[in-house]
Amino acid sequence: AELEVCPLIPPRGLAVPLTARTKTGVIRDLVGLAEAAGLVYNRQDLFEEILKREELCSTAIAGELALPHPRHPLPYDIAESFIIVGATPTGIVFGAEDGSLTRLFLLICCKDDRTHLHVLARLSRMLHDPQNVALLIEAEDADDMRQRMEKLEESAIGE
């Protein structure tokens, strides 16, 4: 069976709302949630790896979505592959090519390339439709966000 992404989100791995107002703040908060969930061995290393990846080329995608991740898998910095989700009440400048603001952030950290590619493929299927991104951004709280993501994943599997 294909890897499912929702099980990779730890119990407290959804920040709705995410209160950060800057790109750096968003990344710091998402990494902090991963650390609080016991998934990160070296928070500062992970934070710097993700910032480096963003300097290379922003992971923001038009349509209010960004998928920050380190450039290479970090088998030693993380306990297991995970996804942390955050949504900001208002858009922030994250570097989307078209200059649009970003509100939905999925931090993706995987132990190996294969997992990373599976996760990206699954998420792109779930989120290629701007309406699906909007649906997640409109989530009222973390529980609502998780339910909405699970529904999206169920419908993406059927494709």
Side-chain angles (χ1 to χ4, degrees):
E2 199 182 331
L3 180 81
E4 286 185 38
V5 297
C6 288
L8 295 177
I9 306 168
R12 288 196 293 279
L14 300 111
V16 184
L18 185 66
T19 53
R21 302 292 308 127
T22 63
K23 180 173 190 164
T24 309
V26 165
I27 294 169
R28 185 178 289 121
D29 287 358
L30 295 173
V31 170
L33 283 171
E35 186 187 46
L39 295 167
V40 178
Y41 299 133
N42 192 327
R43 178 182 181 161
Q44 192 58 28
D45 274 4
L46 181 59
F47 174 67
E48 285 167 15
E49 280 292 322
I50 294 161
L51 277 188
K52 264 190 264 182
R53 168 67 182 81
E54 288 294 331
E55 281 161 19
L56 202 68
C57 171
S58 174
T59 58
I61 299 161
E64 303 190 290
L65 173 67
L67 303 173
H69 55 271
R71 191 165 162 208
H72 301 292
L74 302 170
Y76 308 112
D77 286 353
I78 63 174
E80 58 192 79
S81 299
F82 64 81
I83 299 170
I84 302 288
V85 184
T88 53
T90 53
I92 68 159
V93 176
F94 208 81
E97 262 182 30
D98 64 354
S100 61
L101 299 178
T102 304
R103 287 189 56 197
L104 180 65
F105 304 89
L106 285 86
L107 172 66
I108 303 165
C109 294
C110 297
K111 296 280 276 188
D112 58 80
D113 280 318
R114 191 167 163 270
T115 306
H116 182 75
L117 294 171
H118 273 294
V119 167
L120 283 182
R122 172 63 64 95
L123 286 173
S124 64
R125 277 221 300 281
M126 288 165 62
L127 300 172
H128 66 252
D129 183 341
Q131 285 179 310
N132 290 353
V133 175
L135 192 78
L136 294 181
I137 288 171
E138 289 156 14
E140 284 165 36
D141 55 32
D143 290 337
D144 187 27
M145 171 75 85
R146 186 180 292 275
Q147 284 168 351
R148 288 172 185 226
M149 283 198 72
E150 285 167 354
K151 278 202 187 101
L152 283 183
E153 183 155 38
E154 277 168 36
S155 45
I157 295 170
E159 283 178 17

